[in-house]
Amino acid sequence: MKNNIELAKKLICEKTLSKDEFVSLIDGRCEETEELLKSEAVRLRKEIYGNSVYIRGLIEISNICKNDCLYCGIRKSNKNCERYRLAPDEIYECCDEGYELGMRTFVLQGGEDGFYSDKIICETVKNIKNKYPDCAVTLSLGERSKESYKKLYDAGADRYLLRHETANKEHYEKLHPKEMSYENRIKCLYDLKDIGFQTGCGFMVGSPFQTTENIAEDLLFIKEFSPDMCGIGPFIPHCDTVFGDNPPGSVNLCLFLLSVIRILKPNVLLPATTALGTLHPQGREMGILSGANVVMPNLSPKSVRKKYALYDNKLCDGAESAQSIEILKKRMSDIGYEVVTDVGHIKK
Ligand code: SAM
């Protein structure tokens, strides 16, 4: 395993590797390399963000989606999905509740629902920013035109999350219907960045057909794109999708990749995702201890949470829910971290 330790040291020194080296690092990882990269990731994160953990209130505004991503529980063709959409007033109520709980970022995420025209989202964003000028608004509403993104930015939205899903075109095409294109996904990301959004990309670990080469390509894409945020979480099957019988992604590999991504881009905002918490009871703590610095408690109205089922058994109550913030604070303090009331922008 000496070779593998050498690669880990090289990554620490040079903050990147070649594609072949990433493949060897991942496939040959052992406890020693995991520990080495984890401690470097934590060191870098502490240097920039101390022991602060940023929280984001996640508001799942609609599970209506025009897309048919093969892995996703809210895909258009899932007839068993009970659809809902929040009205702007309901979104404001979520923000009020989140603000009281100490949240200073609201993430509006949803399927690609035609109801949310530029006009409606712009109004919603403006109203949130007027009421809470000390808060950031993050949008995660899928692919739109550059003109549309610009309007949302001009309305005051600060950040946009759009996972690239995979940096390999052939792999992308195995996960998506032919109406969707890899080129457009990547174009959207560059448009968002160009407009001035704090932009987030990301991918699922262990998605169907994913190879180690694909993961190496994702890492190289992240290095090149240099996102402000990066969302990675394990793939988890949803019973009503094409991949319902596929195995879930590996928690261990996901943690390893969190450490690698922290090293590639030391100041990146890196969430310990709900999917990680869903697959392992200590998933979020382990994510933070591997280099993550963000958690996104669920702030959606309780009545809709179960309906935003991207995958089976998604966590939405317990320490996952915004209302249980005290439990989350305790769990973070037990591992030496502090949940802070802070807008939580990237530190440049
Ligand atoms: N529609 C927006 C978009 O396309 O970015 C945001 C909503 S989409 C449901 C949010 C993310 O959920 C996707 O980027 C995808 O990576 C993740 N996701 C979907 N299905 C999943 C699954 N079965 N397991 C894990 N993550 C999943």
Side-chain angles (χ1 to χ4, degrees):
M1 280 300 151
K2 181 159 184 307
N3 193 17
N4 205 255
I5 296 286
E6 292 311 317
L7 282 176
K9 287 185 179 160
K10 186 171 178 195
L11 173 64
I12 290 171
C13 260
E14 300 184 8
K15 304 227 174 299
T16 194
L17 292 175
S18 70
K19 181 172 162 184
D20 287 350
E21 286 170 333
F22 272 131
V23 170
S24 307
L25 179 76
I26 295 165
D27 282 343
R29 69 190 193 282
C30 59
E31 227 172 279
E32 212 179 333
T33 33
E34 285 168 3
E35 286 308 315
L36 184 63
L37 295 183
K38 198 195 276 190
S39 66
E40 175 64 2
V42 166
R43 189 190 72 74
L44 289 166
R45 196 267 322 276
K46 286 210 160 152
E47 206 170 82
I48 301 167
Y49 295 104
N51 66 348
S52 298
V53 172
Y54 294 146
I55 44 170
R56 322 295 198 194
L58 178 63
I59 309 172
E60 298 154 332
I61 67 170
S62 172
N63 70 355
I64 298 171
C65 191
K66 73 172 167 59
N67 288 334
D68 213 20
C69 305
L70 273 62
Y71 47 83
C72 184
I74 64 168
R75 65 196 300 249
K76 177 178 69 178
S77 65
N78 181 7
K79 300 282 177 277
N80 293 329
C81 175
E82 203 186 315
R83 306 287 168 174
Y84 75 90
R85 163 190 301 140
L86 299 184
D89 280 347
E90 293 175 286
I91 299 176
Y92 305 143
E93 280 172 29
C94 296
C95 295
D96 292 342
E97 189 173 6
Y99 194 87
E100 281 296 305
L101 292 167
M103 292 170 182
R104 296 295 179 267
T105 289
F106 305 115
V107 182
L108 275 48
Q109 189 184 82
E112 293 197 19
D113 177 352
F115 170 82
Y116 288 105
S117 59
D118 294 343
K119 188 165 171 281
I120 292 187
I121 301 176
C122 286
E123 262 173 41
T124 309
V125 170
K126 277 186 195 155
N127 286 334
I128 298 173
K129 295 286 287 194
N130 278 340
K131 185 157 188 193
Y132 298 115
D134 54 337
C135 291
V137 173
T138 303
L139 299 175
S140 178
L141 301 170
E143 298 173 28
R144 304 174 82 95
S145 67
K146 189 167 185 182
E147 294 68 39
S148 165
Y149 286 146
K150 177 81 171 81
K151 286 182 192 160
L152 308 182
Y153 182 76
D154 290 341
D158 303 89
R159 310 189 188 119
Y160 205 103
L161 291 174
L162 185 79
R163 289 184 174 184
H164 63 283
E165 311 296 359
T166 168
N168 178 287
K169 182 173 155 63
E170 285 74 46
H171 185 215
Y172 186 93
E173 287 169 359
K174 289 181 185 166
L175 299 177
H176 298 93
K178 60 178 182 337
E179 293 74 27
M180 296 178 72
S181 88
Y182 171 73
E183 287 79 7
N184 195 54
R185 195 87 182 164
I186 301 296
K187 176 187 179 299
C188 285
L189 279 166
Y190 280 98
D191 286 347
L192 288 162
K193 204 172 190 201
D194 190 45
I195 288 167
F197 276 105
Q198 289 179 46
T199 305
C201 64
F203 64 96
M204 291 177 287
V205 176
S207 61
F209 308 110
Q210 185 182 59
T211 61
T212 311
E213 282 75 15
N214 295 152
I215 298 176
E217 288 162 336
D218 287 320
L219 296 173
L220 288 170
F221 172 73
I222 291 166
K223 185 71 192 173
E224 182 182 321
F225 183 66
S226 191
D228 301 291
M229 305 161 293
C230 186
I232 67 157
F235 160 77
I236 306 178
H238 185 291
C239 59
D240 292 319
T241 64
V242 179
F243 301 127
D245 290 329
N246 278 55
S250 150
V251 169
N252 175 280
L253 177 56
C254 190
L255 296 171
F256 183 75
L257 293 171
L258 284 172
S259 301
V260 172
I261 292 168
R262 171 67 60 203
I263 294 167
L264 290 181
K265 167 111 193 178
N267 64 343
V268 73
L269 295 165
L270 197 58
T273 53
T274 307
L276 197 54
T278 296
L279 280 192
H280 193 289
Q282 263 85 50
R284 265 153 329 160
E285 285 93 328
M286 295 190 307
I288 297 293
L289 291 170
S290 300
N293 67 329
V294 173
V295 275
M296 299 170 67
N298 195 316
L299 195 50
S300 310
K302 286 213 172 81
S303 57
V304 305
R305 278 184 203 169
K306 287 248 177 305
K307 297 181 190 161
Y308 196 79
L310 307 181
Y311 44 79
D312 293 332
N313 307 315
K314 193 187 115 204
L315 278 192
C316 60
D317 41 26
E320 182 53 36
S321 88
Q323 291 72 16
S324 306
I325 192 106
E326 291 307 322
I327 301 176
L328 179 68
K329 284 183 180 166
K330 165 93 174 58
R331 287 174 65 162
M332 291 296 139
S333 89
D334 285 349
I335 56 165
Y337 288 81
E338 190 196 357
V339 169
V340 291
T341 296
D342 189 306
V343 69
H345 287 314
I346 187 167
K347 295 201 173 165
K348 298 264 184 183

